[in-house]
Amino acid sequence: MDDLFELDAVGQAAAVRTGEVSPRELTEAAIARIEAYDGEINAVVHRRFERALAEIDALPRDAPFHGVPTLLKDLGWSMAGEPYRAGSRVLDGVEVARDGYGVAKLRGAGFVVLGRTNTPEFGTTITTEPKAFGPTRNPYDTAYSPGGSSGGSAAAVAAGLVAVATGSDGGGSIRIPASMCGLVGLKPSRGRISYGPSLGEAWAGFSAPGMLCRTVRDSAATLDVIAGAMPGDPYGAPAWPRTLAEEVGADPGRLRIGFLAEHPRGTVLADPDLAAAVIGAAGLLESLGHDVEPGGPETFADEDFALHFGTVVATHVAADLEEIGRWRGKPVDLDELETRNRILGATGRELGAVDYVASRDWIDGFRRRMAAWWESHDLLLTPSLGVAPFPLGWLPADDVSMARGRTNQAVAFSSPINATGQPAISLPLHRTAEGLPVGVQLVAAAGREDLLIRIASQIEAAGPFRHTAIRR
């Protein structure tokens, strides 16, 4: 049965359809794997095994992922009747009243939801070490972080507890753990997946829900089932000509690709593993017939970006704290929070509406300046993460200045793409001398996930990704 967990979700769904395994047998096997291996990794913070087993018979039998187990990130992805913690004890006792649209679509596609995965408090950092639930460990080396904020989901998929799990990405929170855990992580275009019915957007549109996967075809097929604007959404992404699953293996044509092996902002330190990953990927893309040259948008170097991005995030954290107070019937005292969020909350409360609107307007201009580069290029290639794989504890809780500096460097390649709302994918194309994964990021113009799937599947076909952390 463990051999089934080396399959991706598309493969597991095929095994169910052919009768090789029943949905109940596959679900029970996934539960057994979580019980056997998660004590080492600490990816799953809420288990709903009995409920999941009881729901199997009601799943639509003709659904594309009928009987395939999955896990939900415990941030967003609300599910009726289940607790919601967002990595924090301030939400103890909160239970969700209804499914979010994304969860409803997953269940409608036949997925069996086994529980919720670990995330840093409110998802505001790049490592998954919340005080409330303890650190999640990287399956490649348990002394290392799996990244964040979708680190629990990434660790679970990398270890083979499930084939796919949900995430969200507000500054790199899908792409960074995908890089750290050797996975495929696609951040969709702004508006591609609905945050409803409880929200119209998250972090002023910076954040996008998505999936952590081991294969490109899973990334395509799962996005097909959860994508689509819903009634009342503030905006949506343009429709694709056909499904993403149909783009897997399709000829991408000869593409114009720029690459950055080092960040154009001089304050971001270079790392040899990141440069090697990008240069290796650039060589591979050139060998596949694409026009590849060094360079990227000059706008990437803008020193003011971090200030305005931070203003938007801090303001939304402060607003979220007010909402949490209403949920639980008691205002949130900043002393209840981890140091990072205590500072973000206090900063957000001090900022005025004029500051917030000014930063959103600045980001609008930044987005237009960035978009101009894609008028003459198809893709940008960069590292997914701005630093080398790092151990647990690398972001010190008691040294806020050091933690902020390290975080700003780590998200230097990812957070600008959250601000622009473009789709970006992290692919596991490099390993350090110690065997730790390092991902590279490909960024397309807004709405062009189809192009990312074509090029990613071409790369995967040229050299299938290795997933050596799967527990056996």
Side-chain angles (χ1 to χ4, degrees):
M1 186 66 74
D2 277 355
D3 290 348
L4 287 169
F5 289 88
E6 297 189 23
L7 297 176
D8 62 2
V10 171
Q12 289 181 0
V16 170
R17 280 195 301 275
T18 61
E20 180 182 345
V21 64
S22 72
R24 184 168 298 276
E25 289 170 335
L26 188 58
T27 300
E28 289 174 342
I31 291 170
R33 289 182 64 81
I34 293 171
E35 291 177 332
Y37 300 122
D38 192 51
E40 174 191 18
I41 298 168
N42 191 35
V44 185
V45 294
H46 171 63
R47 302 178 181 192
R48 58 181 311 274
F49 297 160
E50 291 185 7
R51 286 189 179 185
L53 290 167
E55 292 166 354
I56 288 174
D57 291 341
L59 293 173
R61 294 183 180 275
D62 59 348
F65 291 99
H66 176 59
V68 176
T70 192
L71 292 161
L72 305 177
K73 179 181 180 180
D74 196 20
L75 182 67
W77 298 100
S78 56
M79 188 174 190
E82 300 296 329
Y84 181 80
R85 298 291 180 272
S88 180
R89 289 298 182 195
V90 302
L91 284 160
D92 281 353
V94 171
E95 189 175 283
V96 175
R98 62 179 293 184
D99 285 354
Y101 290 143
V103 171
K105 289 181 178 183
L106 285 173
R107 298 173 83 176
F111 280 105
V112 183
V113 178
L114 299 183
R116 302 185 71 83
T117 60
N118 206 7
T119 185
E121 187 178 62
F122 308 145
T124 55
T125 189
I126 57 166
T127 186
T128 303
E129 304 176 52
K131 290 182 178 178
F133 300 104
T136 296
R137 301 171 186 85
N138 192 318
Y140 281 89
D141 184 332
T142 55
Y144 275 73
S145 171
S149 64
S150 307
S153 287
V157 173
L161 306 186
V162 290
V164 295
T166 72
S168 54
D169 192 318
S173 289
I174 287 173
R175 291 159 289 159
I176 287 170
S179 177
M180 297 279 276
C181 292
L183 302 175
V184 177
L186 173 58
K187 180 194 83 69
S189 296
R190 179 171 302 167
R192 179 67 68 193
I193 302 171
S194 177
Y195 261 109
S198 60
L199 292 175
E201 62 179 8
W203 284 8
F206 292 174
S207 185
M211 304 293 291
L212 279 302
C213 308
R214 291 197 295 269
T215 64
V216 175
R217 70 176 186 174
D218 269 6
S219 190
T222 55
L223 186 49
D224 277 336
V225 301
I226 59 176
M230 299 296 287
D233 283 352
Y235 43 72
W240 306 303
R242 56 184 179 177
T243 67
L244 289 185
E246 292 174 283
E247 302 293 354
V248 176
D251 183 1
R254 184 167 183 158
L255 302 178
R256 303 160 298 171
I257 304 172
F259 71 89
L260 296 172
E262 296 181 3
H263 201 282
R265 194 167 67 238
T267 54
V268 179
L269 301 177
D271 181 274
D273 269 308
L274 307 187
V278 170
I279 291 169
L284 173 60
L285 288 164
E286 192 168 42
S287 75
L288 292 171
H290 303 292
D291 296 323
V292 184
E293 61 182 16
E298 292 183 5
T299 312
F300 241 106
D302 197 313
E303 297 281 354
D304 292 330
F305 173 77
L307 170 65
H308 294 288
F309 189 89
T311 294
V312 171
V313 171
T315 307
H316 276 273
V317 168
D320 289 344
L321 294 176
E322 295 301 310
E323 180 68 11
I324 290 169
R326 288 190 287 272
W327 288 351
R328 68 178 195 170
K330 182 177 70 173
V332 176
D333 189 311
L334 293 179
D335 288 338
E336 297 179 74
L337 307 177
E338 295 182 23
T339 302
R340 173 188 69 258
N341 287 315
R342 187 163 65 247
I343 292 171
L344 278 172
T347 301
R349 288 174 177 179
E350 291 169 2
L351 289 165
V354 172
D355 299 312
Y356 176 72
V357 172
S359 285
R360 287 198 62 162
D361 287 347
W362 189 94
I363 292 290
D364 286 342
F366 177 85
R367 184 184 308 115
R368 293 187 189 280
R369 287 186 284 140
M370 285 281 280
W373 187 85
W374 273 265
E375 294 176 5
S376 57
H377 297 80
D378 298 301
L379 295 171
L380 175 67
L381 168 67
T382 77
S384 300
L385 176 63
V387 296
F390 52 86
L392 293 167
W394 182 72
L395 291 181
D398 57 350
D399 190 332
V400 175
S401 178
M402 178 182 288
R404 182 184 296 116
R406 288 180 170 180
T407 300
N408 286 343
Q409 173 148 339
V411 302
F413 293 101
S414 58
S415 60
I417 310 307
N418 293 88
T420 65
Q422 294 168 251
I425 194 168
S426 180
L427 301 175
L429 295 186
H430 184 74
R431 296 283 176 92
T432 68
E434 297 76 27
L436 294 167
V438 174
V440 299
Q441 171 180 242
L442 286 162
V443 185
R448 294 304 311 274
E449 291 94 334
D450 55 340
L451 182 58
L452 289 179
I453 292 298
R454 286 183 211 160
I455 190 66
S457 62
Q458 185 183 50
I459 290 169
E460 186 179 34
F465 308 141
R466 295 180 297 137
H467 301 291
T468 55
I470 295 176
R471 273 24 186 186
R472 295 174 175 87

